[in-house]
Amino acid sequence: IILVFSYSLYLFKASITSPHLYENTRIMHNIRKLIDDEVVTEDEMRVSLMQLDEELGELADGVGKIVQELKAEANAYDTEIKRLRARKSVAENKRKALMEMLEYNMIQQNKRKIKTPFFSFNIQKNPPSVVILDEEAVPEQYKTYKVQIDKRAIQNAIKSTGMPIAGVELVQKEGLRIR
């Protein structure tokens, strides 16, 4: 698998200098397919990239193209997720309205049970639930609190005073940016 990935990158390197844009695109497509099909793991990809004796700039261009494609694909998925969530919400609201309408009609006609060839409909008691009328009046023993740490405030305090804060450390990492 590593050899296939390495060979595809080798072919890409060899074809970069050729005037055949289609060949470059085909080879990059093959590399992308290996990644998409999860034939190559991230570790295998990292090892293969380090082993290749290619000019880093040319390799980076090819990787940059794949990264941009994956970014666009992820954005498309986000858009589709939003669209599907909206459709889900509409379907859930319609389901709820139909259930309420049927329940209302059953209560109006004093029918607590209906049996059809396909379904059985029953109006029954739900488990008890607690309704909070006044949060301030609820005794402390029934309240829970979630501790949230304000990382931005900690960072600003360390930067402005230069003094360390117990239990935290200010770190600065590096990361690859593609423009």
Side-chain angles (χ1 to χ4, degrees), residues 67 171-179:
V67 166
V171 296
Q172 186 169 11
K173 299 178 180 180
E174 293 181 340
L176 176 66
R177 306 289 192 283
I178 299 176
R179 297 177 204 207

Side-chain angles (χ1 to χ4, degrees), residues 140-153:
E140 274 306 305
Q141 69 190 48
Y142 300 111
K143 295 180 181 179
T144 60
Y145 298 96
K146 181 179 178 183
V147 175
Q148 289 187 322
I149 298 175
D150 187 350
K151 290 182 178 182
R152 178 71 62 200

Side-chain angles (χ1 to χ4, degrees), residues 4-145:
V4 171
F5 183 69
S6 297
Y7 182 68
S8 292
L9 288 174
Y10 170 77
L11 288 176
F12 175 71
K13 164 70 167 89
S15 67
I16 286 176
T17 56
S18 81
H20 304 290
L21 181 60
Y22 174 76
E23 183 67 16
N24 295 348
T25 304
R26 185 182 65 76
I27 291 168
M28 288 310 294
H29 175 74
N30 288 342
I31 293 170
R32 170 73 192 273
K33 184 163 174 31
L34 290 172
I35 294 168
D36 287 346
D37 293 345
E38 297 180 6
V39 172
V40 178
T41 66
E42 286 184 40
D43 289 337
E44 292 169 335
M45 200 174 11
R46 199 172 298 117
V47 168
S48 294
L49 288 172
M50 289 187 310
Q51 289 175 347
L52 292 174
D53 198 21
E54 296 183 350
E55 197 171 314
L56 190 56
E58 293 171 352
L59 177 62
D61 278 343
V63 169
K65 290 174 186 175
I66 292 175
V67 166
Q68 291 300 325
E69 285 177 12
L70 292 171
K71 184 178 179 181
E73 186 178 320
N75 288 337
Y77 289 141
D78 282 340
T79 302
E80 186 65 6
I81 287 168
K82 288 175 188 172
R83 185 185 73 79
L84 290 173
R85 278 191 181 136
R87 288 189 68 182
K88 176 186 176 188
S89 178
V90 168
E92 284 292 324
N93 290 339
K94 286 179 182 178
R95 180 197 61 80
K96 185 178 176 185
L98 283 171
M99 294 283 290
E100 288 172 355
M101 185 240 356
L102 180 58
E103 181 180 8
Y104 173 80
N105 283 299
M106 287 174 69
I107 291 170
Q108 289 299 312
Q109 295 181 22
N110 200 24
K111 291 194 176 194
R112 300 196 59 80
K113 291 183 180 185
I114 299 174
K115 187 161 180 81
T116 70
F118 298 106
F119 301 102
S120 293
F121 302 90
N122 300 310
I123 295 177
Q124 59 190 35
K125 293 196 180 291
N126 293 329
S129 62
V130 175
V131 176
I132 306 297
L133 302 175
D134 181 8
E135 282 189 25
E136 298 296 321
V138 176
E140 274 306 305
Q141 69 190 48
Y142 300 111
K143 295 180 181 179
T144 60
Y145 298 96

